[in-house]
Amino acid sequence: MSEVGNLAAWLLDGALASGAGGQCALREGDRSWTYDELAGTVARLSSALRGLRLGRGERVLILMRDTLEAAAAILGVIHAGAVAVPVSELATPDDLLEYVLHAGAVIAIVDDAHEQAIDAIRSATPDLREVICTGPPSGRIAGSHDFRALVGQAAPQPPVAMGPSDVCLLMYSAGSGPGELRAVPHCQRTIAAAQDSFGRELLQLTAADRMLSVARLSTAYGLGSGLLVPLAVQAESLLFPAQPTSRALFKAVESYRPTVLVATPSVYAQLASDAERQGVARALDGLRHAIAGAEGMPERLIPRIRAVLGTEVTVGYGLTEIFQFALAGRSSDPGARPGVCGKPLAGVQVRLVDEDGDPVGVDEIGTLELTCGSLFAGYWGGGATGEHELRGDGWFTTRDRFMVDRAGFYHHCGRVDDLFKVGGKWVSPTEVERALTAHEAVWEAAVIGADDEEGLIKPLAFVVTNVGHEGGPALEAELKDYVKNVLAPYKYPRWIEFVDALPRGPGGKMLRYKLRPARGKRRRAETGTLPSE
């Protein structure tokens, strides 16, 4: 660790001390920075921020595409002893207003695509003292500072001394809904522990690795895999400012030849589909690791990834609260089944408990609790009260339910607030979704609980049909019968609504809270029980 306890110094000074200064640290298209160039830019930006009266522990909002400058901004804020708050580039002005006020941000660093969005909220955010823009001078908002000019004119300064548990990052959880922001603080201690568990033990990263992560830097998944974890071992990372297309990714894989690819299952699905259509054979067969996280992995997708893209895939379940995966497993592991989340990572302790907090048995559904070295110390500002706070005994109760089988593999059974009971029995939406997507007519599906006219909860499915299939009463009846035959009858969807797309966040995560029944009050549903014999 850095002697001063500063995360940015720990990463960059460690690289320079090991002789990696001339090695490439980051690439962005045709642009690249060595470790020397990155460290110099970070030290000068840190100095410039202190010249703007940025104080130790103050928050800086970072609203940028995944560019070299975005990486420098995150590290520069930390180097200056402040707290970097990266937020999604897809955030609306209303979203930004919530973020700025909730975090108490005093400076914002933005790129040219987001200047107007920040300008739109300035009158409502009096504590936001300064705005720094990376875009060209033409069209810049009044009173803003030029990023390149600030960096170019500043003299490098040493990092601000910090303790290993001092907050340096504030990450907004992807599970946060409107009006329910959950900001997760992290520090050098938690990032170093995540590096040990995720980077060193699971991925076995070295300086010879080349990381290609298409998860965004505004997420813990993307910031860890796309910047902090590779920097910790002096590896090289490729940044994607634009939302990646299959064409761009195939080109990047061919020219960049990554050893590790980090993406969501949705990205792998699109790559497999486009590879089949374009006749691209085994495009990912040179990877050492293909990592999939941030959303559930459909069982039938893994055989397609293996056959079409030419790689095994490591499926993981992670949390912003621990800045890494808690569970992971490779699709080729002995005894592994498609779509299963694997086993606990090194240094991560997990347990499954029932509603009373008592342990559940094998093949029973329980809420996941965990503890590890990278676990946060509590939500920013005391958010997310109640059962999901970090407990005094050092264990954290997640919002996810799992089942562990006799081989020790963990099966995700949905979020606590997604599960619902039908006739006194738990129904896992993901289990019903997997059954639906196993049907040839279904491309995607999402299931929620909905009231019938009696006020009883029954499964409601939203279905996106596959190419060549059309939604309608006939397919609805066929899908209901299909699910009845593969699951316990009470789990089948009583209603099916055919839609063009399902709501997803920037990282591809299903936004289940945005699903709402379109029919208003529903008729009484069938019970779903088998007729008595």
Side-chain angles (χ1 to χ4, degrees):
M1 283 193 175
S2 165
E3 291 182 4
V4 295
N6 186 296
L7 173 63
W10 172 59
L11 294 170
L12 298 175
D13 291 355
L16 301 185
S18 68
Q23 295 175 203
C24 183
L26 300 174
R27 292 187 186 275
E28 176 211 321
D30 295 331
R31 306 169 65 206
S32 64
W33 282 353
T34 64
Y35 276 90
D36 278 332
E37 291 170 321
L38 176 59
T41 301
V42 166
R44 290 193 296 274
L45 176 59
S46 170
S47 176
L49 289 169
R50 284 179 261 180
L52 293 175
R53 298 180 296 110
L54 179 65
R56 190 177 186 277
E58 289 190 307
R59 278 75 63 200
V60 178
L61 189 86
I62 298 170
L63 176 62
M64 304 173 72
R65 292 161 295 185
D66 288 359
T67 58
L68 299 179
E69 287 78 13
I74 293 169
L75 295 171
V77 169
I78 297 170
H79 192 276
V83 180
V85 189
V87 298
S88 171
E89 64 197 89
L90 302 181
T92 66
D94 286 344
D95 295 331
L96 293 176
L97 179 60
E98 273 201 276
Y99 288 138
V100 170
L101 295 177
H102 187 266
V106 297
I107 294 178
I109 305 178
V110 303
D111 58 23
D112 55 333
H114 300 98
E115 291 183 42
Q116 297 306 316
I118 280 290
D119 194 37
I121 67 168
R122 290 299 297 278
S123 61
T125 55
D127 292 335
L128 188 64
R129 303 191 303 257
E130 310 284 356
V131 174
I132 301 171
C133 302
T134 65
S138 59
R140 178 161 300 146
I141 60 177
S144 65
H145 301 274
D146 180 85
F147 181 95
R148 291 176 179 81
L150 282 176
V151 171
Q153 295 166 6
Q157 288 192 40
V160 171
M162 299 176 70
S165 294
D166 289 340
V167 175
C168 62
L169 277 169
L170 205 57
M171 309 297 298
Y172 280 94
S173 170
S176 300
E180 190 196 347
L181 293 179
R182 292 195 300 275
V184 179
H186 278 289
C187 58
Q188 182 187 9
R189 175 188 59 79
T190 59
I191 303 304
Q195 156 60 19
D196 285 341
S197 180
F198 178 72
R200 181 175 293 114
E201 295 293 334
L202 178 66
L203 301 185
Q204 298 181 332
L205 288 181
T206 71
D209 277 302
R210 295 179 299 279
M211 297 283 288
L212 171 50
S213 173
V214 297
R216 314 316 283 175
L217 294 179
S218 58
T219 67
Y221 185 42
L223 182 56
S225 62
L227 183 64
L228 304 185
V229 168
L231 289 183
V233 295
Q234 295 87 57
E236 181 181 330
S237 189
L238 181 67
L239 301 174
F240 259 87
Q243 295 295 323
T245 62
S246 292
R247 182 177 181 180
L249 278 174
F250 286 140
K251 182 179 179 181
V253 168
E254 182 179 1
S255 59
Y256 185 64
R257 301 188 66 79
T259 59
V260 181
L261 173 62
V262 180
T264 62
S266 292
V267 169
Y268 287 107
Q270 189 61 51
L271 287 175
S273 177
D274 290 343
E276 287 179 316
R277 187 171 61 252
Q278 299 169 17
V280 178
R282 302 180 64 84
L284 304 183
D285 64 357
L287 292 176
R288 195 164 65 80
H289 288 294
I291 309 297
E295 64 174 327
M297 170 64 78
E299 291 186 19
R300 67 181 184 182
L301 179 55
I302 288 180
R304 289 188 67 207
I305 294 172
R306 182 185 294 125
V308 177
L309 300 178
T311 185
E312 298 293 338
V313 61
T314 297
V315 178
Y317 160 82
L319 292 160
T320 303
E321 287 83 356
I322 65 170
F323 208 80
Q324 61 156 326
F325 285 163
L327 307 165
R330 192 173 173 89
S331 54
S332 58
D333 287 343
R337 290 170 47 194
V340 174
C341 292
K343 299 180 179 181
L345 270 66
V348 180
Q349 299 179 58
V350 303
R351 63 192 183 196
L352 301 181
V353 299
D354 62 18
E355 293 170 325
D356 297 321
D358 297 322
V360 302
V362 172
D363 294 332
E364 293 182 9
I365 293 176
T367 301
L368 182 74
E369 295 186 339
L370 57 82
T371 186
C372 61
S374 64
L375 183 63
F376 76 139
Y379 291 105
W380 177 261
T385 60
E387 61 183 303
H388 300 296
E389 288 183 330
L390 179 64
R391 297 208 307 266
D393 62 1
W395 283 79
F396 176 68
T397 303
T398 74
R399 292 169 172 78
D400 292 277
R401 293 188 186 273
F402 280 83
M403 178 184 71
V404 61
D405 63 26
R406 295 187 182 280
F409 289 97
Y410 283 75
H411 305 244
H412 190 234
C413 297
R415 286 170 61 88
V416 170
D417 48 5
D418 288 338
L419 262 70
F420 51 91
K421 285 186 176 180
V422 174
K425 303 180 185 70
W426 282 113
V427 172
S428 164
T430 55
E431 183 182 22
V432 183
E433 289 160 7
R434 287 172 184 162
L436 284 165
T437 54
H439 191 284
E440 63 179 5
V442 178
W443 173 245
E444 284 187 306
V447 174
I448 62 173
D451 292 348
D452 66 7
E453 65 180 19
E454 300 289 345
L456 299 173
I457 300 296
K458 299 292 184 292
L460 161 65
F462 295 83
V463 167
V464 180
T465 58
N466 242 327
V467 176
H469 297 271
E470 185 174 353
L475 181 56
E476 180 175 4
E478 181 179 343
L479 292 176
K480 287 180 180 179
D481 288 339
Y482 180 81
V483 175
K484 285 181 186 179
N485 289 328
V486 297
L487 299 179
Y490 70 88
K491 297 180 180 180
Y492 88 95
R494 308 311 193 268
W495 314 277
I496 295 178
E497 294 184 5
F498 296 99
V499 295
D500 293 329
L502 299 175
R504 294 186 180 276
K509 184 184 289 291
M510 176 76 67
L511 302 180
R512 213 180 292 271
Y513 68 85
K514 289 192 173 184
L515 291 169
R516 294 289 183 271
R519 299 179 183 178
K521 194 172 183 178
R522 298 181 174 279
R523 59 179 171 77
R524 185 176 180 180
E526 302 168 61
T527 62
T529 57
L530 288 172
S532 58
E533 298 180 353

